[in-house]
Amino acid sequence: MEKLYFTSESVTEGHPDKLCDYISDTILDEALKQDKNSRVAVETFASANQITIAGQITTNAKLDIEQIVRDRIKEIGYDNSKLDIDYRSCKIDINITKQSSDIAQGVDIGGAGDQGIMFGFASDETEAYMPFAIDMAHKLSKRLTEVRKTGILPYLRPDGKTQVTVEYVDGKVNRIDTILISTQHNEDVDIDALVTDIKEKVINAVIPSKYLDNETKYYINPTGRFVIGGPLGDTGLTGRKIIVDTYGGYARHGGGAFSGKDATKVDRSAAYMLRHIAKNIVANGYAKKCEIQVAYAIGMEQPMSVFVETFGTNKVPHKEILDIINRNFDLTPNGIIEYLKLREPIFTKTTNYGHFGRTELPWEQIITLK
């Protein structure tokens, strides 16, 4: 009997990096609502009561970027510059240019917006075809936001992180070994009461009891205090939570971030398509675990390579799986955009709690492969 331990983390929507992702994705969606052919590559930087927006936008849309920023900060719940950031008083600096003509000439003919490698992954460990640790970590982070916004635990503030360590026995999930939660809170909170509330209202509400036992370890606000948070406690930047966004470190990542990029950027669109393909390879019974890699060159339509790994779980040869992929899917940038309908303003839905494993997103749909 072989025991192994694997850990993944997630963050709440108020984490400074996720605040930045959400602002960047909202700018993208607002551009797509008015102009479906918008080209967007926007980065957001958050520091002490200041937001900086920079990047390239080529669009016919009329965007009030300052209002978008303030609305998103307010929506998340940040309203105190002494503790995190205040949507009413924060300084907003905007530096936006248009897409480089050198890049545009390749994208205009249907080529990839950049070179790079992308990965997609799926496993039958969970109903969502996601690795177990990241699936549980996301559920905890989402629940932290729910209990704050619905008033169940009104003393919580937006910033927070979760972490789950899973024990595997002979390659299968056996139990949860450790749960770590750090959550921002108001200054006058009793920490012992917070620990009790988090166990009862967050952990026990979302983690199936069969995975918890007397040996499970809990670490809740291990420093004992988390009052200063958000961009005041730590700077935020678009694209820094790429492992939270994907598979929690369980599968490989090409390195490109998602948020703030329109679908001509294969960093985003190809990663979505590869997740869709990997999930359907598993859902259709060709393997129990599947990882796919593609590589693109800037300005070229077809990927330079396609690689499949099933970790010894495949029911058919890899060549047959590659044939299935070639028969069923168009991996050109335009083919991906049309298939997944990525000119629609759907990207703010993806920002928080993982871009994968959520059935409402088009790349998560299960189809019958021919």
Side-chain angles (χ1 to χ4, degrees):
M1 184 172 69
E2 182 183 39
K3 288 185 180 181
L4 297 173
Y5 297 86
F6 187 84
T7 303
S8 292
E9 73 158 350
S10 179
V11 297
T12 65
E13 65 182 41
H15 185 281
D17 293 333
K18 276 293 150 199
L19 168 65
C20 293
D21 285 344
Y22 195 41
I23 291 170
S24 292
D25 275 336
T26 303
I27 293 169
L28 168 61
D29 273 359
E30 289 301 317
L32 291 173
K33 286 176 184 177
Q34 299 178 49
D35 179 1
K36 293 188 184 300
N37 294 310
S38 297
R39 304 265 177 86
V40 179
V42 170
E43 312 292 340
T44 302
F45 174 70
S47 56
N49 219 39
Q50 179 169 333
I51 300 291
T52 300
I53 309 293
Q56 296 79 42
I57 301 178
T58 303
T59 183
N60 293 318
K62 304 300 182 185
L63 302 173
D64 187 343
I65 292 178
E66 179 174 341
Q67 192 60 52
I68 290 171
V69 172
R70 295 195 190 280
D71 287 347
R72 293 293 77 76
I73 300 171
K74 179 182 179 181
E75 178 188 340
I76 288 171
Y78 279 130
D79 58 4
N80 191 327
S81 61
K82 295 181 179 179
L83 300 181
D84 28 61
I85 191 170
D86 190 334
Y87 72 93
R88 295 161 295 199
S89 62
C90 64
K91 180 182 176 183
I92 298 174
D93 182 37
I94 300 169
N95 184 10
I96 297 292
T97 60
K98 291 189 175 183
Q99 184 177 64
S100 160
S101 59
D102 294 341
I103 296 174
Q105 66 182 345
V107 179
D108 289 343
I109 60 173
D114 201 353
Q115 71 175 54
I117 58 174
M118 298 86 208
F119 287 90
F121 178 81
S123 165
D124 66 356
E125 274 187 11
T126 64
E127 291 182 359
Y129 294 90
M130 289 290 287
F132 186 80
I134 189 65
D135 191 51
M136 293 296 104
H138 283 325
K139 284 180 167 63
L140 289 171
S141 290
K142 188 174 183 181
R143 180 63 178 171
L144 272 179
T145 297
E146 288 174 353
V147 298
R148 172 176 63 88
K149 286 191 166 182
T150 59
I152 295 173
L153 299 179
Y155 59 79
L156 297 184
R157 289 196 62 78
D159 200 353
K161 304 178 79 170
T162 68
Q163 193 166 285
V164 176
T165 300
V166 177
E167 179 183 273
Y168 287 83
V169 174
D170 294 335
K172 294 184 178 181
V173 173
N174 184 47
R175 55 184 288 274
I176 291 177
D177 182 74
T178 307
I179 294 176
L180 167 62
I181 295 180
S182 295
T183 180
Q184 187 188 9
H185 56 82
N186 290 335
E187 195 165 8
D188 58 353
V189 170
D190 179 84
I191 298 301
D192 290 336
L194 180 146
V195 170
T196 299
D197 284 346
I198 294 298
K199 282 186 178 179
E200 291 181 359
K201 306 297 185 182
V202 177
I203 295 172
N204 293 342
V206 299
I207 302 295
S209 59
K210 66 180 179 180
Y211 296 113
L212 305 174
D213 57 30
N214 292 333
E215 300 299 317
T216 300
K217 298 178 284 292
Y218 301 91
Y219 298 98
I220 299 170
N221 281 24
T223 65
R225 179 180 167 90
F226 186 178
V227 175
I228 304 298
L232 186 60
D234 191 7
T235 56
L237 184 65
T238 300
R240 278 205 300 207
K241 286 293 175 282
I242 57 176
I243 300 304
V244 171
D245 287 344
T246 53
Y247 308 102
Y250 195 91
R252 284 171 280 200
H253 192 293
F258 300 156
S259 290
K261 297 178 181 177
D262 74 86
T264 63
K265 282 73 174 174
V266 283
D267 278 341
R268 186 169 211 165
S269 54
Y272 290 171
M273 189 65 164
L274 296 182
R275 160 63 180 176
H276 177 67
I277 296 171
K279 181 175 182 177
N280 277 284
I281 293 297
V282 176
N284 279 261
Y286 294 108
K288 294 174 69 64
K289 187 183 292 186
C290 182
E291 185 178 74
I292 305 171
Q293 184 212 53
V294 296
Y296 288 92
I298 188 168
M300 294 178 63
E301 289 190 78
Q302 295 293 339
M304 302 180 71
S305 64
V306 180
F307 175 78
V308 173
E309 173 61 79
T310 56
F311 310 93
T313 70
N314 51 306
K315 306 296 177 61
V316 298
H318 281 179
K319 183 182 183 304
E320 186 172 334
I321 293 176
L322 284 167
D323 290 341
I324 291 167
I325 293 171
N326 289 329
R327 283 199 305 270
N328 286 273
F329 303 105
D330 179 353
L331 291 177
T332 65
N334 280 342
I336 293 170
I337 290 168
E338 293 303 317
Y339 180 85
L340 295 177
K341 297 180 172 57
L342 296 181
R343 296 197 191 279
E344 299 301 316
I346 62 171
F347 296 102
T348 53
K349 296 179 183 178
T350 70
T351 307
N352 294 298
Y353 316 115
H355 291 241
F356 307 126
R358 296 155 53 195
T359 56
E360 71 271 19
L361 299 173
W363 45 92
E364 294 296 323
Q365 303 310 304
I366 295 175
I367 63 172
T368 299
L369 297 177
K370 305 185 290 287

